[in-house]
Each structure stands twice: as C-alpha cells, then as structure tokens.
Amino acid sequence: MPTPYVQDSLPIQGLGLNAEAVADHAKASATVVKILRTLTTTVQGLAELRNHLGLGHGRTAPSPALTRHARLALNSTVTVTEFVLDTWQDRIDRGKLPPLSQ
C-alpha cells in the first residue's frame, strides 16, 4: 500500500498543513513536508505494529515485543500527538479553527 501524501490525509487537511508550512522559506517548508510524510508513515507503522504484536483482537499470549519496541512505539505516538495538538491549538489561537465548546 503506497504511503499517502501529507495533503491527502483528512486530519492534515483539517489542520491546514501544506507545502507552505514555514512562511517565507520554501526550502524549510519542503523539509517540513518531508517530515510530515514520515510522520504519516509512522502512524501507519504504529497501527501495523499494534496489529502484529499488540494484545488486542482477543490475543491471550504475551506479546513478543521487546521493551525497546514498546518505547519506540510510545515515543513515536507522543511525538505525533504533541505535534497535532500543538498545531490544532495554534489554528484555534489564530482563528482558523473554532474553539472547542466547553
């Protein structure tokens, strides 16, 4: 399955992440887009890892994953989540997205 471009991802579209990610700096924007594509692939990889090694889907046997694999998955998840939430908050602060209702 080919990796989708950053612009093809619905959450990415909703947050307005695009090729102009860094204002007034085309090369930095292109680099940010590369990183975002890698993060998209990382999310797909995390889903696959969970399917292969996770304890979901009614599995009862212990996972063969090593501690380092679990730490890699956890830290990758934290990185992606923090970036998305920081971007979301930035869009709210700049009036590009409505604030969450309390």
Side-chain angles (χ1 to χ4, degrees):
M1 171 183 230
T3 302
Y5 289 101
V6 173
Q7 300 88 299
D8 296 337
S9 170
L10 187 57
I12 300 298
Q13 287 175 346
L15 291 175
L17 300 174
N18 56 40
E20 292 81 38
V22 180
D24 301 325
H25 204 294
K27 288 185 180 183
S29 289
T31 301
V32 168
V33 168
K34 272 192 227 178
I35 293 168
L36 291 172
R37 286 183 183 147
T38 302
L39 289 178
T40 299
T41 303
T42 299
V43 170
Q44 291 171 339
L46 288 166
E48 291 174 18
L49 186 65
R50 188 237 183 238
N51 287 336
H52 296 306
L53 299 177
L55 297 176
H57 305 293
R59 288 197 184 106
T60 57
S63 172
L66 300 175
T67 301
R68 68 177 182 259
H69 300 130
R71 189 171 290 119
L72 175 64
L74 172 68
N75 290 330
S76 297
T77 302
V78 168
T79 297
V80 171
T81 303
E82 285 180 341
F83 179 79
V84 169
L85 291 175
D86 287 348
T87 302
W88 188 4
Q89 187 62 54
D90 175 69
R91 300 304 188 260
I92 291 171
D93 293 347
R94 293 189 306 147
K96 295 191 177 230
L97 287 174
L100 294 175
S101 58
Q102 300 281 335

